[in-house]
Tab-separated table of all heavy atoms in Angstrom:
chain	number	residue	atom	x	y	z
A	26	VAL	N	17.212	-17.239	20.271
A	26	VAL	CA	17.140	-17.326	18.767
A	26	VAL	C	18.039	-16.338	18.132
A	26	VAL	O	18.023	-15.118	18.543
A	26	VAL	CB	15.703	-17.155	18.267
A	26	VAL	CG1	15.673	-17.121	16.726
A	26	VAL	CG2	14.817	-18.103	18.793
A	27	LEU	N	19.061	-16.645	17.329
A	27	LEU	CA	20.006	-15.744	16.763
A	27	LEU	C	19.505	-15.618	15.315
A	27	LEU	O	19.207	-16.583	14.539
A	27	LEU	CB	21.415	-16.334	16.646
A	27	LEU	CG	21.957	-16.634	18.148
A	27	LEU	CD1	23.446	-17.124	17.963
A	27	LEU	CD2	22.068	-15.393	18.925
A	28	VAL	N	19.393	-14.357	14.894
A	28	VAL	CA	18.914	-13.999	13.601
A	28	VAL	C	19.892	-13.066	12.797
A	28	VAL	O	20.427	-12.132	13.482
A	28	VAL	CB	17.604	-13.251	13.681
A	28	VAL	CG1	17.192	-12.694	12.339
A	28	VAL	CG2	16.455	-14.070	14.308
A	29	ARG	N	20.267	-13.492	11.581
A	29	ARG	CA	21.110	-12.611	10.777
A	29	ARG	C	20.119	-11.633	9.985
A	29	ARG	O	19.092	-12.028	9.711
A	29	ARG	CB	22.111	-13.425	9.935
A	29	ARG	CG	22.950	-12.620	9.095
A	29	ARG	CD	23.930	-13.525	8.367
A	29	ARG	NE	24.956	-12.769	7.678
A	29	ARG	CZ	25.005	-12.150	6.447
A	29	ARG	NH1	23.821	-12.330	5.718
A	29	ARG	NH2	25.922	-11.448	5.972
A	30	HIS	N	20.663	-10.492	9.613
A	30	HIS	CA	19.763	-9.633	8.891
A	30	HIS	C	19.328	-10.219	7.576
A	30	HIS	O	19.965	-11.143	7.088
A	30	HIS	CB	20.555	-8.219	8.573
A	30	HIS	CG	21.796	-8.391	7.848
A	30	HIS	ND1	21.818	-8.531	6.521
A	30	HIS	CD2	23.137	-8.463	8.287
A	30	HIS	CE1	23.043	-8.626	6.013
A	30	HIS	NE2	23.836	-8.579	7.167
A	31	GLY	N	18.364	-9.683	6.996
A	31	GLY	CA	17.884	-10.109	5.629
A	31	GLY	C	18.755	-9.806	4.556
A	31	GLY	O	19.753	-9.139	4.795
A	32	GLU	N	18.485	-10.147	3.290
A	32	GLU	CA	19.224	-9.836	2.227
A	32	GLU	C	19.456	-8.190	2.166
A	32	GLU	O	18.546	-7.399	2.194
A	32	GLU	CB	18.675	-10.145	0.956
A	32	GLU	CG	19.521	-9.750	-0.279
A	32	GLU	CD	18.826	-10.192	-1.664
A	32	GLU	OE1	17.801	-9.401	-1.979
A	32	GLU	OE2	19.229	-11.194	-2.268
A	33	SER	N	20.760	-7.789	2.098
A	33	SER	CA	21.134	-6.427	2.092
A	33	SER	C	21.590	-5.947	0.672
A	33	SER	O	21.815	-6.898	-0.193
A	33	SER	CB	22.154	-6.046	3.090
A	33	SER	OG	23.450	-6.632	2.645
A	34	GLU	N	21.780	-4.678	0.448
A	34	GLU	CA	22.133	-4.228	-0.814
A	34	GLU	C	23.532	-4.631	-1.078
A	34	GLU	O	23.795	-5.069	-2.307
A	34	GLU	CB	22.245	-2.640	-0.718
A	34	GLU	CG	20.841	-1.974	-0.580
A	34	GLU	CD	20.910	-0.468	-0.239
A	34	GLU	OE1	21.985	0.008	0.280
A	34	GLU	OE2	19.933	0.199	-0.532
A	35	ALA	N	24.395	-4.898	-0.063
A	35	ALA	CA	25.676	-5.324	-0.388
A	35	ALA	C	25.786	-6.789	-0.630
A	35	ALA	O	26.782	-7.272	-1.216
A	35	ALA	CB	26.574	-5.151	0.941
A	36	ASN	N	24.726	-7.501	-0.231
A	36	ASN	CA	24.738	-8.921	-0.490
A	36	ASN	C	24.422	-9.176	-2.033
A	36	ASN	O	24.801	-10.091	-2.695
A	36	ASN	CB	23.551	-9.762	0.192
A	36	ASN	CG	23.738	-9.777	1.688
A	36	ASN	OD1	22.947	-9.588	2.433
A	36	ASN	ND2	25.029	-10.123	2.093
A	37	VAL	N	23.670	-8.283	-2.608
A	37	VAL	CA	23.363	-8.248	-4.012
A	37	VAL	C	24.446	-7.645	-4.806
A	37	VAL	O	24.831	-8.090	-5.864
A	37	VAL	CB	22.084	-7.455	-4.273
A	37	VAL	CG1	21.778	-7.353	-5.701
A	37	VAL	CG2	20.898	-8.034	-3.577
A	38	ASP	N	25.088	-6.542	-4.297
A	38	ASP	CA	26.037	-5.715	-5.071
A	38	ASP	C	27.251	-5.420	-4.050
A	38	ASP	O	27.101	-4.373	-3.397
A	38	ASP	CB	25.567	-4.597	-5.854
A	38	ASP	CG	26.610	-3.723	-6.536
A	38	ASP	OD1	27.807	-4.263	-6.645
A	38	ASP	OD2	26.222	-2.585	-6.903
A	39	PRO	N	28.330	-6.221	-3.942
A	39	PRO	CA	29.462	-5.872	-2.955
A	39	PRO	C	30.099	-4.482	-3.261
A	39	PRO	O	30.702	-3.949	-2.317
A	39	PRO	CB	30.337	-7.019	-3.169
A	39	PRO	CG	29.554	-8.134	-3.895
A	39	PRO	CD	28.575	-7.500	-4.589
A	40	THR	N	30.000	-3.893	-4.494
A	40	THR	CA	30.587	-2.617	-4.672
A	40	THR	C	29.960	-1.585	-3.837
A	40	THR	O	30.473	-0.425	-3.812
A	40	THR	CB	30.584	-2.302	-6.198
A	40	THR	OG1	29.293	-2.219	-6.610
A	40	THR	CG2	31.236	-3.398	-6.990
A	41	VAL	N	28.818	-1.890	-3.340
A	41	VAL	CA	28.136	-0.787	-2.529
A	41	VAL	C	28.958	-0.343	-1.399
A	41	VAL	O	28.991	0.795	-0.833
A	41	VAL	CB	26.762	-1.454	-1.947
A	41	VAL	CG1	26.198	-0.437	-0.819
A	41	VAL	CG2	25.712	-1.521	-3.074
A	42	TYR	N	29.866	-1.270	-0.912
A	42	TYR	CA	30.836	-0.858	0.132
A	42	TYR	C	31.630	0.182	-0.190
A	42	TYR	O	32.287	0.995	0.684
A	42	TYR	CB	31.640	-2.071	0.530
A	42	TYR	CG	30.836	-3.104	1.401
A	42	TYR	CD1	30.586	-4.372	0.840
A	42	TYR	CD2	30.469	-2.853	2.692
A	42	TYR	CE1	29.908	-5.369	1.576
A	42	TYR	CE2	29.752	-3.891	3.403
A	42	TYR	CZ	29.560	-5.121	2.848
A	42	TYR	OH	28.870	-6.000	3.577
A	43	PHE	N	31.882	0.457	-1.414
A	43	PHE	CA	32.720	1.593	-1.897
A	43	PHE	C	32.103	3.019	-1.797
A	43	PHE	O	32.695	4.025	-1.825
A	43	PHE	CB	33.271	1.326	-3.338
A	43	PHE	CG	34.045	0.115	-3.488
A	43	PHE	CD1	33.613	-0.861	-4.444
A	43	PHE	CD2	35.143	-0.101	-2.711
A	43	PHE	CE1	34.377	-1.943	-4.588
A	43	PHE	CE2	35.993	-1.201	-2.992
A	43	PHE	CZ	35.587	-2.160	-3.818
A	44	THR	N	30.744	3.098	-1.759
A	44	THR	CA	30.132	4.279	-1.821
A	44	THR	C	29.132	4.487	-0.560
A	44	THR	O	28.826	5.683	-0.366
A	44	THR	CB	29.166	4.313	-2.995
A	44	THR	OG1	28.157	3.178	-2.999
A	44	THR	CG2	29.986	4.287	-4.253
A	45	VAL	N	28.762	3.463	0.182
A	45	VAL	CA	27.931	3.672	1.367
A	45	VAL	C	28.811	2.997	2.555
A	45	VAL	O	29.224	1.932	2.525
A	45	VAL	CB	26.670	2.746	1.101
A	45	VAL	CG1	25.717	2.931	2.354
A	45	VAL	CG2	26.010	3.295	-0.121
A	46	PRO	N	28.732	3.971	3.581
A	46	PRO	CA	29.358	3.294	4.884
A	46	PRO	C	28.652	1.984	5.314
A	46	PRO	O	27.389	1.779	5.085
A	46	PRO	CB	29.144	4.434	5.995
A	46	PRO	CG	28.788	5.609	5.177
A	46	PRO	CD	28.129	5.108	3.851
A	47	ASP	N	29.436	1.086	5.938
A	47	ASP	CA	28.915	-0.226	6.373
A	47	ASP	C	27.685	-0.082	7.185
A	47	ASP	O	26.658	-0.817	7.006
A	47	ASP	CB	29.932	-1.027	7.043
A	47	ASP	CG	29.467	-2.312	7.419
A	47	ASP	OD1	28.949	-3.145	6.587
A	47	ASP	OD2	29.582	-2.770	8.585
A	48	ASN	N	27.688	0.846	8.121
A	48	ASN	CA	26.600	0.999	9.108
A	48	ASN	C	25.240	1.612	8.438
A	48	ASN	O	24.230	1.536	9.055
A	48	ASN	CB	26.931	1.837	10.262
A	48	ASN	CG	27.256	3.337	9.912
A	48	ASN	OD1	27.790	3.558	8.909
A	48	ASN	ND2	26.829	4.143	10.831
A	49	ARG	N	25.400	2.118	7.128
A	49	ARG	CA	24.307	2.687	6.397
A	49	ARG	C	23.707	1.664	5.278
A	49	ARG	O	22.773	2.209	4.575
A	49	ARG	CB	24.696	4.003	5.764
A	49	ARG	CG	24.930	5.054	6.792
A	49	ARG	CD	23.691	5.480	7.392
A	49	ARG	NE	24.063	6.597	8.291
A	49	ARG	CZ	23.114	7.322	8.832
A	49	ARG	NH1	21.862	7.081	8.588
A	49	ARG	NH2	23.360	8.400	9.556
A	50	ILE	N	24.214	0.476	5.175
A	50	ILE	CA	23.714	-0.268	4.148
A	50	ILE	C	22.302	-0.898	4.561
A	50	ILE	O	22.174	-1.341	5.665
A	50	ILE	CB	24.734	-1.598	3.809
A	50	ILE	CG1	26.030	-0.889	3.324
A	50	ILE	CG2	24.129	-2.454	2.945
A	50	ILE	CD1	27.174	-1.900	3.047
A	51	SER	N	21.413	-0.791	3.600
A	51	SER	CA	19.957	-1.083	3.842
A	51	SER	C	19.746	-2.502	3.356
A	51	SER	O	20.371	-3.102	2.548
A	51	SER	CB	19.010	-0.144	3.232
A	51	SER	OG	19.201	1.226	3.726
A	52	LEU	N	18.491	-2.969	3.734
A	52	LEU	CA	17.889	-4.154	3.129
A	52	LEU	C	17.371	-3.989	1.930
A	52	LEU	O	16.812	-2.904	1.493
A	52	LEU	CB	16.860	-4.727	4.107
A	52	LEU	CG	17.239	-5.120	5.477
A	52	LEU	CD1	15.957	-5.702	6.268
A	52	LEU	CD2	18.324	-6.258	5.453
A	53	THR	N	17.347	-4.942	1.025
A	53	THR	CA	16.640	-5.032	-0.243
A	53	THR	C	15.089	-5.254	0.111
A	53	THR	O	14.854	-5.541	1.175
A	53	THR	CB	17.036	-5.986	-1.155
A	53	THR	OG1	16.867	-7.272	-0.650
A	53	THR	CG2	18.492	-5.837	-1.453
A	54	GLU	N	14.201	-5.077	-0.855
A	54	GLU	CA	12.807	-5.388	-0.763
A	54	GLU	C	12.828	-6.946	-0.345
A	54	GLU	O	11.833	-7.287	0.502
A	54	GLU	CB	12.033	-5.083	-1.883
A	54	GLU	CG	11.725	-3.521	-2.061
A	54	GLU	CD	11.222	-2.955	-0.756
A	54	GLU	OE1	10.163	-3.515	-0.253
A	54	GLU	OE2	11.775	-1.892	-0.305
A	55	LEU	N	13.492	-7.797	-1.094
A	55	LEU	CA	13.478	-9.236	-0.829
A	55	LEU	C	13.878	-9.491	0.730
A	55	LEU	O	13.254	-10.222	1.389
A	55	LEU	CB	14.329	-9.923	-1.716
A	55	LEU	CG	14.546	-11.428	-1.358
A	55	LEU	CD1	13.182	-12.284	-1.431
A	55	LEU	CD2	15.570	-12.157	-2.398
A	56	GLY	N	14.941	-8.723	1.148
A	56	GLY	CA	15.312	-8.926	2.449
A	56	GLY	C	14.243	-8.457	3.426
A	56	GLY	O	14.116	-9.190	4.508
A	57	LYS	N	13.597	-7.379	3.202
A	57	LYS	CA	12.498	-7.023	4.152
A	57	LYS	C	11.415	-8.060	4.166
A	57	LYS	O	10.808	-8.411	5.215
A	57	LYS	CB	11.915	-5.673	3.689
A	57	LYS	CG	12.903	-4.524	3.973
A	57	LYS	CD	12.229	-3.223	3.325
A	57	LYS	CE	13.402	-2.119	3.523
A	57	LYS	NZ	12.893	-0.893	2.925
A	58	GLU	N	11.067	-8.606	2.990
A	58	GLU	CA	10.021	-9.692	2.898
A	58	GLU	C	10.562	-10.909	3.682
A	58	GLU	O	9.777	-11.632	4.405
A	58	GLU	CB	9.773	-10.037	1.515
A	58	GLU	CG	8.569	-11.102	1.448
A	58	GLU	CD	7.368	-10.717	2.271
A	58	GLU	OE1	6.856	-9.515	2.276
A	58	GLU	OE2	6.797	-11.609	3.000
A	59	GLN	N	11.772	-11.410	3.680
A	59	GLN	CA	12.310	-12.435	4.338
A	59	GLN	C	12.196	-12.266	5.798
A	59	GLN	O	11.792	-13.117	6.505
A	59	GLN	CB	13.823	-12.607	4.009
A	59	GLN	CG	14.276	-13.012	2.643
A	59	GLN	CD	15.801	-12.833	2.420
A	59	GLN	OE1	16.489	-12.130	3.014
A	59	GLN	NE2	16.246	-13.749	1.389
A	60	CYS	N	12.428	-11.018	6.215
A	60	CYS	CA	12.305	-10.609	7.699
A	60	CYS	C	10.906	-10.735	8.078
A	60	CYS	O	10.446	-11.218	9.220
A	60	CYS	CB	12.862	-9.360	7.993
A	60	CYS	SG	14.691	-9.287	7.778
A	61	ARG	N	9.849	-10.248	7.285
A	61	ARG	CA	8.518	-10.306	7.555
A	61	ARG	C	8.050	-11.766	7.821
A	61	ARG	O	7.426	-12.150	8.780
A	61	ARG	CB	7.681	-9.671	6.607
A	61	ARG	CG	7.758	-8.054	6.590
A	61	ARG	CD	6.709	-7.502	5.681
A	61	ARG	NE	7.212	-6.169	5.466
A	61	ARG	CZ	7.895	-5.738	4.336
A	61	ARG	NH1	8.141	-6.602	3.346
A	61	ARG	NH2	8.258	-4.488	4.184
A	62	ALA	N	8.435	-12.563	6.803
A	62	ALA	CA	8.138	-14.088	6.986
A	62	ALA	C	8.732	-14.699	8.260
A	62	ALA	O	8.148	-15.546	8.801
A	62	ALA	CB	8.692	-14.783	5.794
A	63	LEU	N	10.015	-14.307	8.535
A	63	LEU	CA	10.576	-14.775	9.748
A	63	LEU	C	9.802	-14.469	10.946
A	63	LEU	O	9.577	-15.134	11.889
A	63	LEU	CB	12.009	-14.369	9.774
A	63	LEU	CG	12.773	-14.710	11.143
A	63	LEU	CD1	12.843	-16.324	11.236
A	63	LEU	CD2	14.168	-14.212	11.128
A	64	GLY	N	9.343	-13.052	10.999
A	64	GLY	CA	8.547	-12.652	11.948
A	64	GLY	C	7.274	-13.446	12.264
A	64	GLY	O	7.000	-13.805	13.469
A	65	ARG	N	6.603	-13.871	11.213
A	65	ARG	CA	5.410	-14.603	11.336
A	65	ARG	C	5.753	-16.045	11.932
A	65	ARG	O	5.032	-16.517	12.746
A	65	ARG	CB	4.763	-14.757	9.997
A	65	ARG	CG	4.164	-13.437	9.349
A	65	ARG	CD	3.373	-13.542	8.123
A	65	ARG	NE	4.066	-14.016	7.044
A	65	ARG	CZ	4.668	-13.211	6.208
A	65	ARG	NH1	4.567	-11.852	6.390
A	65	ARG	NH2	5.384	-13.634	5.136
A	66	ASP	N	6.869	-16.504	11.518
A	66	ASP	CA	7.309	-17.924	12.038
A	66	ASP	C	7.643	-17.858	13.472
A	66	ASP	O	7.408	-18.676	14.256
A	66	ASP	CB	8.585	-18.448	11.331
A	66	ASP	CG	8.153	-18.805	9.836
A	66	ASP	OD1	6.933	-19.020	9.509
A	66	ASP	OD2	9.079	-18.979	9.027
A	67	LEU	N	8.403	-16.579	13.826
A	67	LEU	CA	8.739	-16.517	15.323
A	67	LEU	C	7.501	-16.319	16.212
A	67	LEU	O	7.404	-16.751	17.331
A	67	LEU	CB	9.747	-15.316	15.343
A	67	LEU	CG	11.107	-15.681	14.888
A	67	LEU	CD1	11.997	-14.273	14.902
A	67	LEU	CD2	11.824	-16.724	15.609
A	68	LYS	N	6.496	-15.472	15.567
A	68	LYS	CA	5.321	-15.310	16.431
A	68	LYS	C	4.659	-16.611	16.637
A	68	LYS	O	4.112	-16.818	17.706
A	68	LYS	CB	4.282	-14.376	15.610
A	68	LYS	CG	2.945	-14.172	16.220
A	68	LYS	CD	3.156	-13.453	17.644
A	68	LYS	CE	1.737	-13.178	18.220
A	68	LYS	NZ	1.779	-13.069	19.657
A	69	GLN	N	4.570	-17.560	15.733
A	69	GLN	CA	4.029	-18.865	15.939
A	69	GLN	C	4.856	-19.687	17.009
A	69	GLN	O	4.336	-20.313	17.843
A	69	GLN	CB	3.970	-19.713	14.668
A	69	GLN	CG	2.828	-19.379	13.764
A	69	GLN	CD	2.798	-20.255	12.498
A	69	GLN	OE1	3.701	-20.820	12.142
A	69	GLN	NE2	1.686	-20.549	12.071
A	70	LEU	N	6.161	-19.529	16.852
A	70	LEU	CA	7.052	-20.183	17.908
A	70	LEU	C	6.826	-19.679	19.238
A	70	LEU	O	6.678	-20.488	20.260
A	70	LEU	CB	8.569	-20.041	17.499
A	70	LEU	CG	9.598	-20.607	18.347
A	70	LEU	CD1	9.505	-22.197	18.260
A	70	LEU	CD2	10.961	-20.151	17.936
A	71	PHE	N	6.820	-18.351	19.485
A	71	PHE	CA	6.782	-17.714	20.793
A	71	PHE	C	5.297	-17.624	21.302
A	71	PHE	O	5.080	-17.557	22.543
A	71	PHE	CB	7.305	-16.362	20.805
A	71	PHE	CG	8.825	-16.532	20.639
A	71	PHE	CD1	9.526	-15.810	19.516
A	71	PHE	CD2	9.636	-17.159	21.477
A	71	PHE	CE1	10.914	-15.869	19.437
A	71	PHE	CE2	11.076	-17.207	21.382
A	71	PHE	CZ	11.583	-16.600	20.292
A	72	GLY	N	4.359	-17.561	20.457
A	72	GLY	CA	2.952	-17.396	20.889
A	72	GLY	C	2.806	-16.041	21.523
A	72	GLY	O	3.159	-15.037	20.965
A	73	ASP	N	2.207	-16.075	22.791
A	73	ASP	CA	1.949	-14.858	23.477
A	73	ASP	C	3.060	-14.526	24.458
A	73	ASP	O	2.946	-13.520	25.332
A	73	ASP	CB	0.610	-14.896	24.121
A	73	ASP	CG	-0.491	-14.875	23.114
A	73	ASP	OD1	-0.373	-14.317	21.969
A	73	ASP	OD2	-1.504	-15.547	23.351
A	74	LYS	N	4.101	-15.384	24.535
A	74	LYS	CA	5.125	-15.067	25.541
A	74	LYS	C	5.922	-13.750	25.177
A	74	LYS	O	6.050	-13.406	24.079
A	74	LYS	CB	6.066	-16.270	25.515
A	74	LYS	CG	5.530	-17.458	26.034
A	74	LYS	CD	6.592	-18.551	26.165
A	74	LYS	CE	5.820	-19.916	26.824
A	74	LYS	NZ	5.759	-20.962	25.941
A	75	ARG	N	6.363	-13.180	26.276
A	75	ARG	CA	7.287	-11.784	26.067
A	75	ARG	C	8.486	-12.203	25.367
A	75	ARG	O	9.057	-13.293	25.550
A	75	ARG	CB	7.550	-11.222	27.425
A	75	ARG	CG	6.325	-10.925	28.219
A	75	ARG	CD	5.984	-9.421	28.298
A	75	ARG	NE	7.063	-8.537	28.351
A	75	ARG	CZ	7.116	-7.453	27.669
A	75	ARG	NH1	6.179	-7.167	26.737
A	75	ARG	NH2	8.138	-6.687	27.806
A	76	VAL	N	8.926	-11.370	24.441
A	76	VAL	CA	10.111	-11.631	23.684
A	76	VAL	C	11.103	-10.374	23.985
A	76	VAL	O	10.626	-9.205	23.785
A	76	VAL	CB	9.790	-11.618	22.223
A	76	VAL	CG1	10.993	-11.816	21.354
A	76	VAL	CG2	8.850	-12.844	22.020
A	77	ARG	N	12.282	-10.670	24.299
A	77	ARG	CA	13.436	-9.662	24.386
A	77	ARG	C	14.295	-9.729	23.231
A	77	ARG	O	14.809	-10.741	22.990
A	77	ARG	CB	14.041	-10.027	25.762
A	77	ARG	CG	14.873	-8.845	26.194
A	77	ARG	CD	15.352	-9.095	27.716
A	77	ARG	NE	14.312	-9.082	28.577
A	77	ARG	CZ	14.294	-9.684	29.637
A	77	ARG	NH1	15.322	-10.483	30.102
A	77	ARG	NH2	13.202	-9.613	30.521
A	78	CYS	N	14.513	-8.596	22.612
A	78	CYS	CA	15.291	-8.512	21.375
A	78	CYS	C	16.472	-7.634	21.734
A	78	CYS	O	16.422	-6.612	22.277
A	78	CYS	CB	14.577	-7.924	20.241
A	78	CYS	SG	13.036	-8.825	19.865
Side-chain angles (χ1 to χ4, degrees):
V26 177
L27 301 177
V28 174
R29 186 174 187 270
H30 59 80
E32 180 185 74
S33 72
E34 294 170 338
N36 294 136
V37 174
D38 178 12
T40 63
V41 168
Y42 285 113
F43 298 122
T44 57
V45 179
D47 183 51
N48 66 325
R49 295 291 190 166
I50 293 174
S51 297
L52 294 181
T53 63
E54 286 306 313
L55 173 61
K57 291 175 185 176
E58 186 50 45
Q59 290 169 337
C60 297
R61 286 186 201 100
L63 176 60
R65 292 187 293 271
D66 291 344
L67 289 174
K68 177 61 176 160
Q69 283 186 326
L70 178 68
F71 292 122
D73 294 329
K74 294 185 175 119
R75 300 256 322 134
V76 177
R77 197 172 288 154
C78 303

